[in-house]
Amino acid sequence: MTRLPATLSVLVLAAAASAVVAQDASLYEDVANPDASFVRVVDASSPVAVIQSVSFDSIEAGVTPYVVIDGASEVKITSGETTATEPVQPATFYSFVVGADGTSALVVDKITRNPAQADVTFYNLSDIASADLYVPQAKAMAIEGVKPSDGGAVALKAPLTLDFEIRDGATVVAKVAAVALKRREGVAIVLSGSGGSYTATATANALAR
């Protein structure tokens, strides 16, 4: 695990931990099977997706809620024209990430359930070779070096409201302002775009109903 700068350490209680079953409002509600897996789609280019038998026809900001996968060792995922069957492990959170060039990957999300934390995940759906998530208030990186069609995660102290910048080296390519971090919940920040035109969004984590 990469060591976080000291200026950000006051915001971080545990930068990464093994994924666990969530147990509170929104994402963190009791799930009948503690060994269930959780899978969502992160795709800024398609408004529709299917995870196993659960369909989404209006994906908010490119991020679906997590679908509970109970008892299966693999999951079939379709997003737009991309279809894949991926293996999954028990009690693990995943995001099926589709990048700007159509490349897809199943990313493990390091979700925690510490009552003093909020989980922040960051996904690079752009053509930037290595994107960083920066916290201006702390003057420090939260997540560094996220490659296209990949993601990273950090657990930050909550409740807290933070601005985030997405950087390509020293260049700020996009921003998300006033992101509310809530205890035992989380938010997904998504960078999308190509050719020098980029946008970023923040979406609260949730379970599909």
Side-chain angles (χ1 to χ4, degrees):
M1 183 182 70
T2 302
R3 184 179 298 277
L4 294 169
T7 49
L8 186 59
S9 63
V10 68
L11 302 178
V12 181
L13 295 186
S18 297
V20 293
V21 175
Q23 294 184 351
D24 208 321
S26 299
L27 179 61
Y28 303 105
E29 292 188 357
D30 290 326
V31 175
N33 181 1
D35 291 328
S37 302
F38 304 82
V39 180
R40 69 181 174 188
V41 167
V42 179
D43 184 354
S45 64
S46 175
V48 297
V50 181
I51 303 171
Q52 291 293 66
S53 60
V54 181
S55 299
F56 301 92
D57 59 9
S58 181
I59 302 175
E60 180 182 354
V63 181
T64 74
Y66 285 101
V67 172
V68 178
I69 307 300
D70 193 350
S73 60
E74 61 182 24
V75 56
K76 184 177 180 180
I77 306 166
T78 299
S79 183
E81 298 181 357
T82 302
T83 298
T85 298
E86 300 282 356
V88 293
Q89 297 295 319
T92 305
F93 288 85
Y94 297 93
S95 288
F96 183 74
V97 179
V98 182
D101 63 354
T103 301
S104 63
L106 190 67
V107 176
V108 174
D109 294 330
K110 294 181 178 179
I111 299 295
T112 74
R113 63 173 181 181
N114 189 301
Q117 292 177 328
D119 295 298
V120 178
T121 48
F122 170 52
Y123 306 95
N124 181 3
L125 308 189
S126 76
D127 60 357
I128 294 174
S130 180
D132 303 324
L133 186 67
Y134 182 80
V135 182
Q137 290 99 316
K139 298 182 179 178
M141 294 294 181
I143 301 171
E144 297 183 77
V146 178
K147 298 182 181 346
S149 305
D150 203 355
V154 67
L156 301 180
K157 182 180 178 180
L160 200 62
T161 298
L162 293 175
D163 299 332
F164 291 93
E165 295 177 351
I166 294 85
R167 295 187 171 192
D168 177 6
T171 302
V172 177
V173 298
K175 300 179 181 180
V176 283
V179 177
L181 304 181
K182 300 178 181 180
R183 291 175 178 172
R184 299 182 72 180
E185 296 192 27
V187 62
I189 297 175
V190 177
L191 173 68
S192 59
S194 61
S197 177
Y198 305 102
T199 60
T201 58
T203 305
N205 292 343
L207 280 180
R209 298 288 174 253

Coordinates of all heavy atoms in Angstrom, one line a residue, residues 91-132:
A91 N -18.0 -12.0 -0.4 CA -17.8 -10.8 0.5 C -16.8 -9.8 -0.1 O -16.0 -9.2 0.6 CB -17.3 -11.3 1.9
T92 N -17.0 -9.6 -1.4 CA -16.1 -8.6 -2.1 C -16.9 -7.7 -2.9 O -17.9 -8.1 -3.5 CB -15.1 -9.4 -2.9 OG1 -14.4 -10.3 -2.1 CG2 -14.1 -8.5 -3.6
F93 N -16.5 -6.4 -3.0 CA -17.1 -5.4 -3.8 C -16.3 -5.3 -5.1 O -15.1 -5.2 -5.1 CB -17.2 -4.1 -3.1 CG -18.2 -4.0 -2.0 CD1 -17.8 -4.5 -0.7 CD2 -19.4 -3.6 -2.1 CE1 -18.7 -4.5 0.4 CE2 -20.4 -3.5 -1.1 CZ -20.0 -4.0 0.2
Y94 N -17.1 -5.2 -6.2 CA -16.4 -5.0 -7.5 C -17.1 -3.9 -8.3 O -18.3 -3.7 -8.2 CB -16.6 -6.3 -8.4 CG -15.9 -7.5 -7.8 CD1 -16.6 -8.4 -7.0 CD2 -14.6 -7.8 -8.1 CE1 -16.0 -9.6 -6.5 CE2 -14.0 -9.0 -7.6 CZ -14.7 -9.8 -6.8 OH -14.1 -11.0 -6.3
S95 N -16.3 -3.3 -9.2 CA -16.8 -2.4 -10.2 C -16.4 -2.9 -11.6 O -15.1 -3.1 -11.8 CB -16.4 -0.9 -10.0 OG -17.1 -0.4 -8.9
F96 N -17.3 -3.1 -12.5 CA -17.0 -3.4 -13.9 C -16.8 -2.1 -14.6 O -17.8 -1.4 -14.9 CB -18.1 -4.2 -14.5 CG -17.8 -4.7 -15.9 CD1 -16.9 -5.7 -16.2 CD2 -18.4 -4.1 -17.0 CE1 -16.6 -6.2 -17.4 CE2 -18.2 -4.6 -18.3 CZ -17.3 -5.6 -18.5
V97 N -15.5 -1.8 -14.9 CA -15.2 -0.4 -15.5 C -15.0 -0.5 -17.0 O -14.2 -1.3 -17.4 CB -13.9 0.1 -14.8 CG1 -13.5 1.4 -15.3 CG2 -14.1 0.1 -13.2
V98 N -15.6 0.4 -17.7 CA -15.5 0.5 -19.2 C -14.9 1.8 -19.5 O -15.5 2.9 -19.2 CB -16.8 0.3 -19.9 CG1 -16.6 0.3 -21.4 CG2 -17.5 -1.0 -19.5
G99 N -13.7 1.8 -20.1 CA -13.0 3.0 -20.4 C -13.4 3.7 -21.7 O -14.3 3.2 -22.4
A100 N -12.7 4.8 -22.0 CA -13.0 5.6 -23.1 C -12.8 4.9 -24.4 O -13.5 5.1 -25.4 CB -12.2 6.9 -23.1
D101 N -11.9 3.9 -24.5 CA -11.6 3.2 -25.7 C -12.4 1.9 -25.7 O -12.2 1.0 -26.6 CB -10.1 2.9 -25.8 CG -9.6 2.0 -24.7 OD1 -10.4 1.7 -23.7 OD2 -8.4 1.6 -24.7
G102 N -13.3 1.6 -24.8 CA -14.1 0.4 -24.8 C -13.5 -0.7 -24.0 O -14.1 -1.8 -23.8
T103 N -12.3 -0.5 -23.5 CA -11.6 -1.6 -22.7 C -12.3 -1.7 -21.4 O -12.7 -0.7 -20.8 CB -10.1 -1.2 -22.5 OG1 -9.5 -1.1 -23.8 CG2 -9.4 -2.3 -21.7
S104 N -12.5 -2.9 -21.0 CA -13.2 -3.2 -19.7 C -12.4 -4.0 -18.7 O -11.5 -4.7 -19.1 CB -14.5 -3.9 -19.9 OG -14.3 -5.2 -20.5
A105 N -12.6 -3.8 -17.4 CA -11.9 -4.6 -16.4 C -12.8 -4.6 -15.2 O -13.6 -3.7 -14.9 CB -10.6 -3.9 -16.1
L106 N -12.7 -5.7 -14.4 CA -13.4 -5.9 -13.2 C -12.4 -5.5 -12.1 O -11.4 -6.1 -11.8 CB -13.9 -7.3 -13.0 CG -14.8 -7.5 -11.8 CD1 -16.2 -6.8 -12.0 CD2 -15.1 -9.0 -11.5
V107 N -12.8 -4.4 -11.4 CA -11.9 -3.8 -10.4 C -12.4 -4.1 -9.0 O -13.6 -4.0 -8.7 CB -11.8 -2.3 -10.5 CG1 -11.0 -1.6 -9.4 CG2 -11.2 -1.9 -11.9
V108 N -11.5 -4.6 -8.1 CA -11.9 -4.8 -6.7 C -12.0 -3.5 -6.0 O -11.0 -2.7 -6.0 CB -10.9 -5.7 -6.0 CG1 -11.3 -5.9 -4.5 CG2 -10.9 -7.1 -6.6
D109 N -13.1 -3.2 -5.4 CA -13.3 -1.9 -4.6 C -13.0 -2.2 -3.1 O -13.7 -3.1 -2.5 CB -14.7 -1.4 -4.7 CG -15.1 -1.0 -6.1 OD1 -14.1 -0.5 -6.8 OD2 -16.2 -1.1 -6.5
K110 N -12.1 -1.5 -2.5 CA -11.7 -1.8 -1.1 C -12.6 -1.0 -0.2 O -12.3 0.1 0.2 CB -10.2 -1.4 -0.9 CG -9.3 -2.4 -1.7 CD -7.9 -2.0 -1.4 CE -7.0 -3.0 -2.2 NZ -5.5 -2.7 -2.0
I111 N -13.8 -1.5 0.0 CA -14.9 -0.9 0.8 C -14.7 -1.3 2.3 O -14.5 -2.4 2.6 CB -16.3 -1.3 0.4 CG1 -16.5 -0.9 -1.1 CG2 -17.3 -0.7 1.2 CD1 -16.5 0.6 -1.4
T112 N -14.7 -0.3 3.2 CA -14.6 -0.5 4.6 C -16.0 -0.3 5.3 O -16.9 0.1 4.7 CB -13.6 0.4 5.3 OG1 -14.2 1.7 5.4 CG2 -12.3 0.5 4.5
R113 N -16.1 -0.6 6.6 CA -17.3 -0.3 7.3 C -17.0 0.3 8.7 O -17.8 0.3 9.6 CB -18.1 -1.6 7.5 CG -17.5 -2.7 8.4 CD -18.4 -3.8 8.6 NE -17.8 -4.8 9.5 CZ -18.5 -5.9 9.8 NH1 -19.7 -6.1 9.5 NH2 -17.9 -6.8 10.6
N114 N -15.9 1.0 8.8 CA -15.5 1.7 10.0 C -16.5 2.8 10.2 O -16.8 3.6 9.3 CB -14.1 2.3 9.9 CG -13.6 2.9 11.2 OD1 -14.2 3.8 11.7 ND2 -12.5 2.3 11.6
P115 N -17.1 3.0 11.4 CA -18.1 3.9 11.6 C -17.6 5.4 11.6 O -18.5 6.3 11.5 CB -18.6 3.6 13.0 CG -17.5 2.9 13.7 CD -16.9 2.1 12.6
A116 N -16.3 5.6 11.5 CA -15.8 7.0 11.4 C -15.3 7.3 10.0 O -14.7 8.3 9.8 CB -14.7 7.2 12.5
Q117 N -15.5 6.4 9.1 CA -15.0 6.6 7.7 C -16.1 6.7 6.7 O -17.2 6.3 6.8 CB -14.1 5.4 7.4 CG -12.9 5.2 8.2 CD -12.1 3.9 7.8 OE1 -12.8 2.9 7.4 NE2 -10.8 4.0 7.8
A118 N -15.6 7.3 5.5 CA -16.4 7.3 4.3 C -15.4 6.7 3.2 O -14.3 7.1 3.2 CB -16.8 8.7 3.9
D119 N -16.0 5.9 2.4 CA -15.2 5.2 1.3 C -15.2 6.1 0.0 O -16.3 6.4 -0.4 CB -15.7 3.8 1.0 CG -15.5 2.9 2.2 OD1 -14.4 2.7 2.6 OD2 -16.6 2.4 2.7
V120 N -14.1 6.4 -0.5 CA -14.0 7.2 -1.7 C -13.3 6.3 -2.8 O -12.2 5.8 -2.6 CB -13.2 8.5 -1.5 CG1 -13.1 9.2 -2.9 CG2 -13.8 9.4 -0.5
T121 N -14.0 6.0 -3.8 CA -13.4 5.3 -5.0 C -13.3 6.2 -6.2 O -14.1 7.1 -6.3 CB -14.3 4.1 -5.3 OG1 -15.7 4.5 -5.5 CG2 -14.2 3.0 -4.3
F122 N -12.3 6.0 -6.9 CA -12.0 6.9 -8.1 C -11.7 6.0 -9.3 O -10.9 5.1 -9.2 CB -10.8 7.8 -7.7 CG -10.2 8.6 -8.9 CD1 -11.0 9.3 -9.7 CD2 -8.9 8.5 -9.2 CE1 -10.5 10.0 -10.8 CE2 -8.3 9.2 -10.3 CZ -9.2 10.0 -11.1
Y123 N -12.3 6.3 -10.4 CA -12.2 5.6 -11.6 C -11.8 6.4 -12.8 O -12.3 7.5 -13.0 CB -13.5 4.9 -12.0 CG -14.0 4.0 -10.8 CD1 -15.0 4.6 -10.0 CD2 -13.6 2.8 -10.6 CE1 -15.4 3.8 -8.9 CE2 -14.0 2.0 -9.5 CZ -14.9 2.6 -8.7 OH -15.4 1.8 -7.6
N124 N -10.8 5.9 -13.6 CA -10.3 6.7 -14.8 C -10.9 6.1 -16.0 O -10.5 5.0 -16.5 CB -8.8 6.6 -14.8 CG -8.2 7.3 -15.9 OD1 -8.9 7.9 -16.7 ND2 -6.9 7.2 -16.1
L125 N -11.9 6.7 -16.6 CA -12.6 6.3 -17.8 C -12.1 7.1 -19.0 O -12.7 7.1 -20.0 CB -14.1 6.3 -17.7 CG -14.8 5.7 -16.5 CD1 -16.3 5.7 -16.7 CD2 -14.2 4.3 -16.3
S126 N -11.0 7.8 -18.8 CA -10.5 8.7 -19.8 C -9.3 8.1 -20.6 O -9.0 7.0 -20.4 CB -10.1 10.0 -19.2 OG -8.8 9.9 -18.5
D127 N -8.7 8.9 -21.4 CA -7.5 8.5 -22.1 C -6.2 9.0 -21.4 O -5.1 8.8 -22.0 CB -7.5 9.0 -23.6 CG -7.6 10.5 -23.7 OD1 -7.6 11.2 -22.7 OD2 -7.5 11.0 -24.9
I128 N -6.3 9.5 -20.2 CA -5.2 9.9 -19.5 C -4.4 8.7 -18.9 O -5.1 7.8 -18.3 CB -5.6 10.9 -18.3 CG1 -6.1 12.2 -18.9 CG2 -4.4 11.2 -17.4 CD1 -6.7 13.1 -17.9
A129 N -3.1 8.6 -19.2 CA -2.4 7.4 -18.8 C -2.3 7.2 -17.4 O -2.1 6.0 -16.9 CB -1.0 7.5 -19.5
S130 N -2.3 8.2 -16.5 CA -2.2 8.1 -15.1 C -2.8 9.3 -14.4 O -2.3 10.4 -14.5 CB -0.7 8.0 -14.7 OG -0.5 7.8 -13.3
A131 N -4.0 9.0 -13.8 CA -4.8 10.1 -13.2 C -4.7 10.1 -11.7 O -4.6 9.0 -11.1 CB -6.2 10.1 -13.7
D132 N -4.6 11.3 -11.1 CA -4.5 11.4 -9.6 C -5.7 12.1 -9.1 O -6.3 13.0 -9.7 CB -3.3 12.2 -9.2 CG -2.0 11.5 -9.7 OD1 -1.9 10.3 -9.8 OD2 -1.1 12.3 -10.1

